Amino acid sequence: MIAKYFKPVINYSSWADRFSSIWTFLAFIIIALVAAWRHHVGPNVSCYLPYGVRYQPNFTSEMSKYIHDRCWSARQLTVYYPEQRYEYAVVSDEYYNRRKDSRRTLYQWLPVIIACQALFFRLPDVLLRVFDSLFGYGSSKIVGLVRGYKSLSAIDRTALARELANYFKVIFESRTLKKIGILAVVIIFVKLLFFANALTQLILLDGYLSPTNETSYGRHIVDGIISRNYSEIDPSPAFPRQVYCYVNLHRFIPNLNHTLQCSVPVNEFNEQISFFMWVWLLVVCVVAALSLVVFIIKGFVPIFRERFILKYLKMASLAPTKTQTATFTNSVIGQDGILLLKLIREVSSDILVRDIVVKIWYLHYIEPKSKDQSVQYPDKSTGYKV
């Protein structure tokens, strides 16, 4: 049941959409699993527990483990930066010593956050499948029909091309939008979602990771790499390496408050994968934006559709005029038809697309003129009749 959401759909011919919906999803899921494994294996936090200090309890191994877990636990920690008091960030129980300038730590939840980001990249593709089932032409069923095309005999291939051509002709004649088509409008909307999703995630990630007095985390890292001043690249405040941890141990006499110096080695790993995700999201934004612009241009400029159809007509040794090609492409096939034919080309082969185009051409131009005569139009490139 889940596998059907990964089958080719109407935008399968767009590698940019596949990059956003499939490869980005898989990459983020792998990163989330690796981060979860790293958090599970540890060590995540290591605190210095001094001995011999006045009122200092004798820390047992159980108390040491409790303190480490408490200083790491996401549900109990808040990070804030007092003005001139501490050298490092301070983490404390969120119900203890709460300050207005504190901020919630999220590095403990990083695997879950990345997994949620991955799911957001699948959402536009799921919406496209829903819209395709409601307003489209059943592209998933068409994919199931044409996937075994190469294993069919010549007679079965001809029959399949004839059936698809008849089906396309009927649905093309019944559509309301001729040139652009409802599927083209839906794909434009989905491409906008891909771009908006990637851009939103990039802005949120950049803002959360940005160091103090820096407007952009990515620019801060890139400037440091270009200038080769690696020592001046400050770590993100979202992933502190050294912290002071407030711990309140409840005892009968008295309740003791401790400030322990702790190292958080896992945050080095967290920031590295976050920077990788920042670069990946930037690439997704650029690719999604270019894909949207190119699709709109090709959708509204007829010459691109006409070149696509003319290619297959010439493969069948047909030589239509420019007027015939323009009328056939824009009025009969339309942009939705181009999308379906590109989907078939990606899943099956150019030969099947050629046979479908030639058969629709025959149904539109030859059959109306030969209703009173037994005329059959041969496909010169294959020798069999379409």
Side-chain angles (χ1 to χ4, degrees), residues 309-321 324 354-355 357-358 361 377-383 386:
I309 295 299
L310 185 61
K311 167 188 172 182
Y312 293 102
L313 293 177
K314 288 183 176 180
M315 287 177 62
S317 301
L318 297 175
T321 64
Q324 287 178 324
R354 180 204 63 186
D355 294 344
V357 171
V358 172
W361 176 276
Y377 186 76
D379 181 352
K380 298 179 181 180
S381 62
T382 60
V386 297

Side-chain angles (χ1 to χ4, degrees), residues 1 12 54 63 72 101 129 156 165 174-175 204 211 218 231 235 246 256 280 299 310 334 337 345 356 364 381 386:
M1 184 176 181
Y12 186 73
R54 187 180 182 184
M63 293 176 63
W72 169 253
D101 56 352
R129 294 172 189 274
D156 292 335
S174 62
R175 65 191 171 192
L204 293 176
S231 60
Y246 280 148
L256 298 179
W280 188 289
L310 185 61
R345 181 188 63 182
I356 294 173
H364 184 72
S381 62
V386 297

Side-chain angles (χ1 to χ4, degrees), residues 68-244:
H68 289 153
D69 290 343
R70 187 167 179 177
C71 289
W72 169 253
S73 176
R75 289 172 295 180
Q76 295 177 331
L77 299 182
T78 304
V79 173
Y80 59 89
Y81 294 85
E83 287 70 22
Q84 301 294 331
R85 185 177 178 184
Y86 293 106
E87 179 183 0
Y88 303 124
V90 178
V91 292
S92 65
D93 191 301
E94 60 184 351
Y95 299 108
Y96 172 74
N97 199 25
R98 182 180 295 178
R99 295 171 55 98
K100 293 182 179 180
D101 56 352
S102 64
R103 58 183 298 181
R104 193 72 165 85
T105 60
L106 294 178
Y107 52 81
Q108 300 91 340
W109 294 86
L110 190 62
V112 178
I113 294 174
I114 298 175
C116 292
Q117 290 181 261
L119 292 177
F120 273 108
F121 277 102
R122 287 298 303 168
L123 182 59
D125 191 71
V126 172
L127 291 177
L128 178 60
R129 294 172 189 274
V130 173
F131 289 144
D132 183 35
S133 63
L134 293 176
F135 310 110
Y137 310 119
S139 60
S140 60
K141 296 181 180 179
I142 294 174
V143 169
L145 288 174
V146 304
R147 267 189 164 173
Y149 173 79
K150 294 181 180 180
S151 61
L152 299 177
S153 63
I155 298 177
D156 292 335
R157 290 183 179 185
T158 304
L160 177 61
R162 184 183 298 112
E163 290 176 3
L164 289 175
N166 291 329
Y167 172 68
F168 288 163
K169 184 176 184 297
V170 172
I171 61 176
F172 291 165
E173 290 176 350
S174 62
R175 65 191 171 192
T176 55
L177 299 176
K178 295 292 184 181
K179 294 184 178 181
I180 301 301
I182 186 65
L183 282 183
V185 175
V186 170
I187 290 180
I188 291 176
F189 173 71
V190 169
K191 287 180 179 291
L192 278 173
L193 288 182
F194 278 129
F195 174 72
N197 176 43
L199 182 62
T200 302
Q201 291 193 24
L202 180 63
I203 292 175
L204 293 176
L205 181 63
D206 188 83
Y208 186 74
L209 298 179
S210 295
T212 307
N213 300 325
E214 291 288 344
T215 57
S216 174
Y217 172 77
R219 182 177 179 181
H220 170 68
I221 299 295
V222 172
D223 289 344
I225 294 175
I226 293 176
S227 62
R228 297 185 179 181
N229 293 327
Y230 305 111
S231 60
E232 296 182 3
I233 301 179
D234 297 327
S236 171
F239 302 113
R241 310 300 198 269
Q242 298 287 334
V243 297
Y244 288 123

